[in-house]
Amino acid sequence: MNKKIMVEREKFISHDKEYFGYFIKGRVRGKDVKIGIAPPNKDTDRGGYTVLDIVFGDAMEAELVLKPYEIKDEKGNVLRGNTYAVRSYGEDGEVYECPVKPLKTSDKSLLNMLLG
């Protein structure tokens, strides 16, 4: 990834409680896009949002990190792709990181276009 991509967050209210939504803003073919981002197991592991809150700390943005992978299937075909994480650094240089994924299938498509 040549350019630094930032994941942003914004507050929203649901059922009288305050939460954060996480997203990447970008431009694909001249169109402004907003790509939803979530913890990898958002439906079964609500703690992922707590980890994201810790990574962000008091900031409203953190860096998106791509982690390339390669897997060989039983036929010897190599499957390649990326996993993603959000990363920030503490005052003492400590690294804070949380795995993330695109929120919906359309967000995955948009992120691939943005990174392409």
PDB file of all heavy atoms in Angstrom, residues 17-48:
ATOM      1  N   LYS A  17     -28.247   5.102  23.711  1.00  0.00           N
ATOM      2  CA  LYS A  17     -26.850   4.873  24.071  1.00  0.00           C
ATOM      3  C   LYS A  17     -25.959   5.411  22.961  1.00  0.00           C
ATOM      4  O   LYS A  17     -26.337   5.408  21.798  1.00  0.00           O
ATOM      5  CB  LYS A  17     -26.564   3.378  24.255  1.00  0.00           C
ATOM      6  CG  LYS A  17     -27.153   2.786  25.522  1.00  0.00           C
ATOM      7  CD  LYS A  17     -26.746   1.338  25.647  1.00  0.00           C
ATOM      8  CE  LYS A  17     -26.045   1.145  26.948  1.00  0.00           C
ATOM      9  NZ  LYS A  17     -25.598  -0.227  27.166  1.00  0.00           N
ATOM     10  N   GLU A  18     -24.780   5.867  23.360  1.00  0.00           N
ATOM     11  CA  GLU A  18     -23.822   6.418  22.411  1.00  0.00           C
ATOM     12  C   GLU A  18     -22.826   5.349  21.986  1.00  0.00           C
ATOM     13  O   GLU A  18     -22.280   4.626  22.815  1.00  0.00           O
ATOM     14  CB  GLU A  18     -23.080   7.581  23.080  1.00  0.00           C
ATOM     15  CG  GLU A  18     -22.361   8.476  22.127  1.00  0.00           C
ATOM     16  CD  GLU A  18     -21.809   9.703  22.824  1.00  0.00           C
ATOM     17  OE1 GLU A  18     -20.685   9.611  23.352  1.00  0.00           O
ATOM     18  OE2 GLU A  18     -22.508  10.735  22.843  1.00  0.00           O
ATOM     19  N   TYR A  19     -22.607   5.244  20.670  1.00  0.00           N
ATOM     20  CA  TYR A  19     -21.680   4.274  20.095  1.00  0.00           C
ATOM     21  C   TYR A  19     -20.807   4.978  19.063  1.00  0.00           C
ATOM     22  O   TYR A  19     -21.073   6.110  18.679  1.00  0.00           O
ATOM     23  CB  TYR A  19     -22.439   3.144  19.383  1.00  0.00           C
ATOM     24  CG  TYR A  19     -23.353   2.353  20.273  1.00  0.00           C
ATOM     25  CD1 TYR A  19     -24.714   2.666  20.362  1.00  0.00           C
ATOM     26  CD2 TYR A  19     -22.880   1.288  21.018  1.00  0.00           C
ATOM     27  CE1 TYR A  19     -25.559   1.932  21.171  1.00  0.00           C
ATOM     28  CE2 TYR A  19     -23.720   0.541  21.826  1.00  0.00           C
ATOM     29  CZ  TYR A  19     -25.060   0.869  21.901  1.00  0.00           C
ATOM     30  OH  TYR A  19     -25.898   0.133  22.711  1.00  0.00           O
ATOM     31  N   PHE A  20     -19.787   4.258  18.589  1.00  0.00           N
ATOM     32  CA  PHE A  20     -18.972   4.744  17.484  1.00  0.00           C
ATOM     33  C   PHE A  20     -19.196   3.867  16.267  1.00  0.00           C
ATOM     34  O   PHE A  20     -19.308   2.649  16.380  1.00  0.00           O
ATOM     35  CB  PHE A  20     -17.476   4.718  17.824  1.00  0.00           C
ATOM     36  CG  PHE A  20     -17.018   5.834  18.703  1.00  0.00           C
ATOM     37  CD1 PHE A  20     -16.703   5.603  20.037  1.00  0.00           C
ATOM     38  CD2 PHE A  20     -16.887   7.119  18.200  1.00  0.00           C
ATOM     39  CE1 PHE A  20     -16.272   6.631  20.844  1.00  0.00           C
ATOM     40  CE2 PHE A  20     -16.460   8.160  19.001  1.00  0.00           C
ATOM     41  CZ  PHE A  20     -16.150   7.919  20.336  1.00  0.00           C
ATOM     42  N   GLY A  21     -19.244   4.496  15.097  1.00  0.00           N
ATOM     43  CA  GLY A  21     -19.222   3.809  13.819  1.00  0.00           C
ATOM     44  C   GLY A  21     -17.853   4.050  13.202  1.00  0.00           C
ATOM     45  O   GLY A  21     -17.286   5.138  13.342  1.00  0.00           O
ATOM     46  N   TYR A  22     -17.293   3.055  12.531  1.00  0.00           N
ATOM     47  CA  TYR A  22     -15.944   3.127  11.981  1.00  0.00           C
ATOM     48  C   TYR A  22     -16.001   3.048  10.463  1.00  0.00           C
ATOM     49  O   TYR A  22     -16.761   2.251   9.908  1.00  0.00           O
ATOM     50  CB  TYR A  22     -15.090   1.987  12.544  1.00  0.00           C
ATOM     51  CG  TYR A  22     -14.949   2.095  14.047  1.00  0.00           C
ATOM     52  CD1 TYR A  22     -15.904   1.548  14.894  1.00  0.00           C
ATOM     53  CD2 TYR A  22     -13.888   2.782  14.609  1.00  0.00           C
ATOM     54  CE1 TYR A  22     -15.794   1.676  16.269  1.00  0.00           C
ATOM     55  CE2 TYR A  22     -13.766   2.913  15.982  1.00  0.00           C
ATOM     56  CZ  TYR A  22     -14.722   2.358  16.806  1.00  0.00           C
ATOM     57  OH  TYR A  22     -14.604   2.496  18.159  1.00  0.00           O
ATOM     58  N   PHE A  23     -15.204   3.852   9.787  1.00  0.00           N
ATOM     59  CA  PHE A  23     -15.284   3.939   8.335  1.00  0.00           C
ATOM     60  C   PHE A  23     -14.005   4.508   7.733  1.00  0.00           C
ATOM     61  O   PHE A  23     -13.187   5.108   8.427  1.00  0.00           O
ATOM     62  CB  PHE A  23     -16.476   4.796   7.914  1.00  0.00           C
ATOM     63  CG  PHE A  23     -16.402   6.201   8.456  1.00  0.00           C
ATOM     64  CD1 PHE A  23     -15.806   7.209   7.719  1.00  0.00           C
ATOM     65  CD2 PHE A  23     -16.912   6.509   9.707  1.00  0.00           C
ATOM     66  CE1 PHE A  23     -15.714   8.504   8.221  1.00  0.00           C
ATOM     67  CE2 PHE A  23     -16.827   7.799  10.217  1.00  0.00           C
ATOM     68  CZ  PHE A  23     -16.228   8.797   9.468  1.00  0.00           C
ATOM     69  N   ILE A  24     -13.876   4.311   6.427  1.00  0.00           N
ATOM     70  CA  ILE A  24     -12.790   4.891   5.627  1.00  0.00           C
ATOM     71  C   ILE A  24     -13.458   5.766   4.574  1.00  0.00           C
ATOM     72  O   ILE A  24     -14.387   5.326   3.901  1.00  0.00           O
ATOM     73  CB  ILE A  24     -11.963   3.796   4.932  1.00  0.00           C
ATOM     74  CG1 ILE A  24     -11.268   2.926   5.965  1.00  0.00           C
ATOM     75  CG2 ILE A  24     -10.958   4.403   3.955  1.00  0.00           C
ATOM     76  CD1 ILE A  24     -10.671   1.657   5.387  1.00  0.00           C
ATOM     77  N   LYS A  25     -12.980   6.991   4.441  1.00  0.00           N
ATOM     78  CA  LYS A  25     -13.447   7.867   3.367  1.00  0.00           C
ATOM     79  C   LYS A  25     -12.442   7.788   2.230  1.00  0.00           C
ATOM     80  O   LYS A  25     -11.236   7.734   2.457  1.00  0.00           O
ATOM     81  CB  LYS A  25     -13.549   9.318   3.842  1.00  0.00           C
ATOM     82  CG  LYS A  25     -14.711   9.590   4.742  1.00  0.00           C
ATOM     83  CD  LYS A  25     -14.749  11.069   5.080  1.00  0.00           C
ATOM     84  CE  LYS A  25     -15.894  11.386   6.011  1.00  0.00           C
ATOM     85  NZ  LYS A  25     -15.865  12.803   6.429  1.00  0.00           N
ATOM     86  N   GLY A  26     -12.955   7.760   1.014  1.00  0.00           N
ATOM     87  CA  GLY A  26     -12.070   7.716  -0.135  1.00  0.00           C
ATOM     88  C   GLY A  26     -12.768   8.208  -1.382  1.00  0.00           C
ATOM     89  O   GLY A  26     -13.913   8.663  -1.338  1.00  0.00           O
ATOM     90  N   ARG A  27     -12.068   8.096  -2.484  1.00  0.00           N
ATOM     91  CA  ARG A  27     -12.608   8.527  -3.769  1.00  0.00           C
ATOM     92  C   ARG A  27     -12.291   7.438  -4.789  1.00  0.00           C
ATOM     93  O   ARG A  27     -11.135   7.070  -4.975  1.00  0.00           O
ATOM     94  CB  ARG A  27     -11.974   9.851  -4.167  1.00  0.00           C
ATOM     95  CG  ARG A  27     -12.688  10.580  -5.257  1.00  0.00           C
ATOM     96  CD  ARG A  27     -12.215  12.057  -5.266  1.00  0.00           C
ATOM     97  NE  ARG A  27     -12.888  12.800  -6.282  1.00  0.00           N
ATOM     98  CZ  ARG A  27     -14.106  13.319  -6.175  1.00  0.00           C
ATOM     99  NH1 ARG A  27     -14.765  13.168  -5.058  1.00  0.00           N
ATOM    100  NH2 ARG A  27     -14.651  13.986  -7.157  1.00  0.00           N
ATOM    101  N   VAL A  28     -13.335   6.899  -5.413  1.00  0.00           N
ATOM    102  CA  VAL A  28     -13.186   5.860  -6.427  1.00  0.00           C
ATOM    103  C   VAL A  28     -13.856   6.341  -7.704  1.00  0.00           C
ATOM    104  O   VAL A  28     -15.046   6.661  -7.708  1.00  0.00           O
ATOM    105  CB  VAL A  28     -13.835   4.530  -5.958  1.00  0.00           C
ATOM    106  CG1 VAL A  28     -13.742   3.475  -7.045  1.00  0.00           C
ATOM    107  CG2 VAL A  28     -13.184   4.031  -4.665  1.00  0.00           C
ATOM    108  N   ARG A  29     -13.078   6.444  -8.779  1.00  0.00           N
ATOM    109  CA  ARG A  29     -13.568   6.918 -10.087  1.00  0.00           C
ATOM    110  C   ARG A  29     -14.345   8.233  -9.966  1.00  0.00           C
ATOM    111  O   ARG A  29     -15.410   8.400 -10.541  1.00  0.00           O
ATOM    112  CB  ARG A  29     -14.449   5.868 -10.746  1.00  0.00           C
ATOM    113  CG  ARG A  29     -13.681   4.709 -11.310  1.00  0.00           C
ATOM    114  CD  ARG A  29     -14.562   3.870 -12.165  1.00  0.00           C
ATOM    115  NE  ARG A  29     -13.822   3.492 -13.356  1.00  0.00           N
ATOM    116  CZ  ARG A  29     -14.344   2.807 -14.341  1.00  0.00           C
ATOM    117  NH1 ARG A  29     -15.600   2.459 -14.316  1.00  0.00           N
ATOM    118  NH2 ARG A  29     -13.609   2.491 -15.372  1.00  0.00           N
ATOM    119  N   GLY A  30     -13.789   9.142  -9.184  1.00  0.00           N
ATOM    120  CA  GLY A  30     -14.385  10.465  -9.042  1.00  0.00           C
ATOM    121  C   GLY A  30     -15.582  10.525  -8.110  1.00  0.00           C
ATOM    122  O   GLY A  30     -16.197  11.573  -7.955  1.00  0.00           O
ATOM    123  N   LYS A  31     -15.917   9.434  -7.470  1.00  0.00           N
ATOM    124  CA  LYS A  31     -17.069   9.391  -6.568  1.00  0.00           C
ATOM    125  C   LYS A  31     -16.575   9.241  -5.121  1.00  0.00           C
ATOM    126  O   LYS A  31     -15.774   8.359  -4.824  1.00  0.00           O
ATOM    127  CB  LYS A  31     -17.971   8.221  -6.935  1.00  0.00           C
ATOM    128  CG  LYS A  31     -19.229   8.136  -6.108  1.00  0.00           C
ATOM    129  CD  LYS A  31     -20.181   7.118  -6.704  1.00  0.00           C
ATOM    130  CE  LYS A  31     -21.474   7.020  -5.950  1.00  0.00           C
ATOM    131  NZ  LYS A  31     -22.305   8.189  -6.003  1.00  0.00           N
ATOM    132  N   ASP A  32     -17.076  10.103  -4.238  1.00  0.00           N
ATOM    133  CA  ASP A  32     -16.749   9.997  -2.823  1.00  0.00           C
ATOM    134  C   ASP A  32     -17.440   8.774  -2.239  1.00  0.00           C
ATOM    135  O   ASP A  32     -18.631   8.553  -2.486  1.00  0.00           O
ATOM    136  CB  ASP A  32     -17.190  11.246  -2.064  1.00  0.00           C
ATOM    137  CG  ASP A  32     -16.361  12.467  -2.431  1.00  0.00           C
ATOM    138  OD1 ASP A  32     -15.167  12.304  -2.747  1.00  0.00           O
ATOM    139  OD2 ASP A  32     -16.907  13.590  -2.398  1.00  0.00           O
ATOM    140  N   VAL A  33     -16.680   7.962  -1.487  1.00  0.00           N
ATOM    141  CA  VAL A  33     -17.233   6.761  -0.873  1.00  0.00           C
ATOM    142  C   VAL A  33     -16.923   6.748   0.619  1.00  0.00           C
ATOM    143  O   VAL A  33     -15.940   7.341   1.074  1.00  0.00           O
ATOM    144  CB  VAL A  33     -16.695   5.465  -1.531  1.00  0.00           C
ATOM    145  CG1 VAL A  33     -17.158   5.370  -2.980  1.00  0.00           C
ATOM    146  CG2 VAL A  33     -15.190   5.366  -1.446  1.00  0.00           C
ATOM    147  N   LYS A  34     -17.769   6.078   1.369  1.00  0.00           N
ATOM    148  CA  LYS A  34     -17.598   5.892   2.804  1.00  0.00           C
ATOM    149  C   LYS A  34     -17.728   4.384   3.048  1.00  0.00           C
ATOM    150  O   LYS A  34     -18.795   3.811   2.847  1.00  0.00           O
ATOM    151  CB  LYS A  34     -18.661   6.674   3.568  1.00  0.00           C
ATOM    152  CG  LYS A  34     -18.465   6.688   5.052  1.00  0.00           C
ATOM    153  CD  LYS A  34     -19.498   7.621   5.686  1.00  0.00           C
ATOM    154  CE  LYS A  34     -19.359   7.683   7.174  1.00  0.00           C
ATOM    155  NZ  LYS A  34     -20.371   8.586   7.765  1.00  0.00           N
ATOM    156  N   ILE A  35     -16.629   3.755   3.445  1.00  0.00           N
ATOM    157  CA  ILE A  35     -16.537   2.301   3.560  1.00  0.00           C
ATOM    158  C   ILE A  35     -16.639   1.910   5.030  1.00  0.00           C
ATOM    159  O   ILE A  35     -15.777   2.270   5.841  1.00  0.00           O
ATOM    160  CB  ILE A  35     -15.207   1.808   2.960  1.00  0.00           C
ATOM    161  CG1 ILE A  35     -15.091   2.272   1.499  1.00  0.00           C
ATOM    162  CG2 ILE A  35     -15.078   0.306   3.096  1.00  0.00           C
ATOM    163  CD1 ILE A  35     -13.695   2.183   0.927  1.00  0.00           C
ATOM    164  N   GLY A  36     -17.680   1.164   5.374  1.00  0.00           N
ATOM    165  CA  GLY A  36     -17.878   0.725   6.750  1.00  0.00           C
ATOM    166  C   GLY A  36     -16.845  -0.319   7.155  1.00  0.00           C
ATOM    167  O   GLY A  36     -16.489  -1.201   6.378  1.00  0.00           O
ATOM    168  N   ILE A  37     -16.365  -0.213   8.397  1.00  0.00           N
ATOM    169  CA  ILE A  37     -15.356  -1.123   8.952  1.00  0.00           C
ATOM    170  C   ILE A  37     -15.874  -1.630  10.294  1.00  0.00           C
ATOM    171  O   ILE A  37     -16.501  -0.893  11.045  1.00  0.00           O
ATOM    172  CB  ILE A  37     -14.010  -0.376   9.160  1.00  0.00           C
ATOM    173  CG1 ILE A  37     -13.453   0.123   7.831  1.00  0.00           C
ATOM    174  CG2 ILE A  37     -12.996  -1.227   9.898  1.00  0.00           C
ATOM    175  CD1 ILE A  37     -13.026  -0.951   6.870  1.00  0.00           C
ATOM    176  N   ALA A  38     -15.596  -2.903  10.602  1.00  0.00           N
ATOM    177  CA  ALA A  38     -16.055  -3.510  11.850  1.00  0.00           C
ATOM    178  C   ALA A  38     -15.037  -4.532  12.342  1.00  0.00           C
ATOM    179  O   ALA A  38     -14.201  -5.000  11.573  1.00  0.00           O
ATOM    180  CB  ALA A  38     -17.397  -4.197  11.620  1.00  0.00           C
ATOM    181  N   PRO A  39     -15.126  -4.923  13.627  1.00  0.00           N
ATOM    182  CA  PRO A  39     -14.302  -6.042  14.104  1.00  0.00           C
ATOM    183  C   PRO A  39     -14.671  -7.303  13.331  1.00  0.00           C
ATOM    184  O   PRO A  39     -15.802  -7.412  12.843  1.00  0.00           O
ATOM    185  CB  PRO A  39     -14.689  -6.174  15.580  1.00  0.00           C
ATOM    186  CG  PRO A  39     -15.335  -4.889  15.945  1.00  0.00           C
ATOM    187  CD  PRO A  39     -15.947  -4.361  14.688  1.00  0.00           C
ATOM    188  N   PRO A  40     -13.765  -8.267  13.219  1.00  0.00           N
ATOM    189  CA  PRO A  40     -14.017  -9.433  12.365  1.00  0.00           C
ATOM    190  C   PRO A  40     -15.207 -10.300  12.779  1.00  0.00           C
ATOM    191  O   PRO A  40     -15.843 -10.900  11.943  1.00  0.00           O
ATOM    192  CB  PRO A  40     -12.716 -10.226  12.428  1.00  0.00           C
ATOM    193  CG  PRO A  40     -11.916  -9.630  13.502  1.00  0.00           C
ATOM    194  CD  PRO A  40     -12.441  -8.277  13.799  1.00  0.00           C
ATOM    195  N   ASN A  41     -15.506 -10.389  14.046  1.00  0.00           N
ATOM    196  CA  ASN A  41     -16.613 -11.224  14.513  1.00  0.00           C
ATOM    197  C   ASN A  41     -17.657 -10.370  15.224  1.00  0.00           C
ATOM    198  O   ASN A  41     -18.098 -10.689  16.319  1.00  0.00           O
ATOM    199  CB  ASN A  41     -16.099 -12.319  15.459  1.00  0.00           C
ATOM    200  CG  ASN A  41     -15.082 -13.201  14.796  1.00  0.00           C
ATOM    201  OD1 ASN A  41     -15.275 -13.629  13.665  1.00  0.00           O
ATOM    202  ND2 ASN A  41     -13.985 -13.464  15.470  1.00  0.00           N
ATOM    203  N   LYS A  42     -18.072  -9.293  14.579  1.00  0.00           N
ATOM    204  CA  LYS A  42     -18.940  -8.313  15.228  1.00  0.00           C
ATOM    205  C   LYS A  42     -20.255  -8.891  15.735  1.00  0.00           C
ATOM    206  O   LYS A  42     -20.812  -8.414  16.702  1.00  0.00           O
ATOM    207  CB  LYS A  42     -19.208  -7.133  14.308  1.00  0.00           C
ATOM    208  CG  LYS A  42     -20.059  -7.465  13.102  1.00  0.00           C
ATOM    209  CD  LYS A  42     -20.330  -6.233  12.273  1.00  0.00           C
ATOM    210  CE  LYS A  42     -21.239  -6.542  11.121  1.00  0.00           C
ATOM    211  NZ  LYS A  42     -22.557  -6.992  11.477  1.00  0.00           N
ATOM    212  N   ASP A  43     -20.748  -9.946  15.110  1.00  0.00           N
ATOM    213  CA  ASP A  43     -22.023 -10.528  15.526  1.00  0.00           C
ATOM    214  C   ASP A  43     -21.891 -11.434  16.745  1.00  0.00           C
ATOM    215  O   ASP A  43     -22.837 -11.593  17.507  1.00  0.00           O
ATOM    216  CB  ASP A  43     -22.652 -11.316  14.374  1.00  0.00           C
ATOM    217  CG  ASP A  43     -22.993 -10.414  13.202  1.00  0.00           C
ATOM    218  OD1 ASP A  43     -23.307  -9.226  13.434  1.00  0.00           O
ATOM    219  OD2 ASP A  43     -22.932 -10.888  12.054  1.00  0.00           O
ATOM    220  N   THR A  44     -20.725 -12.036  16.924  1.00  0.00           N
ATOM    221  CA  THR A  44     -20.553 -12.980  18.023  1.00  0.00           C
ATOM    222  C   THR A  44     -19.604 -12.493  19.112  1.00  0.00           C
ATOM    223  O   THR A  44     -19.575 -13.048  20.197  1.00  0.00           O
ATOM    224  CB  THR A  44     -20.021 -14.330  17.490  1.00  0.00           C
ATOM    225  OG1 THR A  44     -18.787 -14.100  16.804  1.00  0.00           O
ATOM    226  CG2 THR A  44     -21.029 -14.968  16.549  1.00  0.00           C
ATOM    227  N   ASP A  45     -18.815 -11.463  18.828  1.00  0.00           N
ATOM    228  CA  ASP A  45     -17.823 -10.970  19.787  1.00  0.00           C
ATOM    229  C   ASP A  45     -17.955  -9.458  19.938  1.00  0.00           C
ATOM    230  O   ASP A  45     -17.260  -8.699  19.289  1.00  0.00           O
ATOM    231  CB  ASP A  45     -16.412 -11.344  19.317  1.00  0.00           C
ATOM    232  CG  ASP A  45     -15.326 -10.908  20.291  1.00  0.00           C
ATOM    233  OD1 ASP A  45     -15.648 -10.445  21.401  1.00  0.00           O
ATOM    234  OD2 ASP A  45     -14.139 -11.027  19.935  1.00  0.00           O
ATOM    235  N   ARG A  46     -18.864  -9.034  20.798  1.00  0.00           N
ATOM    236  CA  ARG A  46     -19.079  -7.594  21.012  1.00  0.00           C
ATOM    237  C   ARG A  46     -17.845  -6.916  21.604  1.00  0.00           C
ATOM    238  O   ARG A  46     -17.706  -5.711  21.549  1.00  0.00           O
ATOM    239  CB  ARG A  46     -20.287  -7.367  21.926  1.00  0.00           C
ATOM    240  CG  ARG A  46     -21.589  -7.806  21.321  1.00  0.00           C
ATOM    241  CD  ARG A  46     -22.063  -6.814  20.321  1.00  0.00           C
ATOM    242  NE  ARG A  46     -23.319  -7.264  19.728  1.00  0.00           N
ATOM    243  CZ  ARG A  46     -23.759  -6.878  18.588  1.00  0.00           C
ATOM    244  NH1 ARG A  46     -23.065  -6.031  17.868  1.00  0.00           N
ATOM    245  NH2 ARG A  46     -24.895  -7.313  18.122  1.00  0.00           N
ATOM    246  N   GLY A  47     -16.925  -7.695  22.179  1.00  0.00           N
ATOM    247  CA  GLY A  47     -15.702  -7.136  22.743  1.00  0.00           C
ATOM    248  C   GLY A  47     -14.799  -6.501  21.708  1.00  0.00           C
ATOM    249  O   GLY A  47     -13.925  -5.710  22.041  1.00  0.00           O
ATOM    250  N   GLY A  48     -14.999  -6.826  20.426  1.00  0.00           N
ATOM    251  CA  GLY A  48     -14.183  -6.236  19.371  1.00  0.00           C
ATOM    252  C   GLY A  48     -14.303  -4.724  19.326  1.00  0.00           C
ATOM    253  O   GLY A  48     -13.331  -4.020  19.036  1.00  0.00           O
TER     254      GLY A  48
END
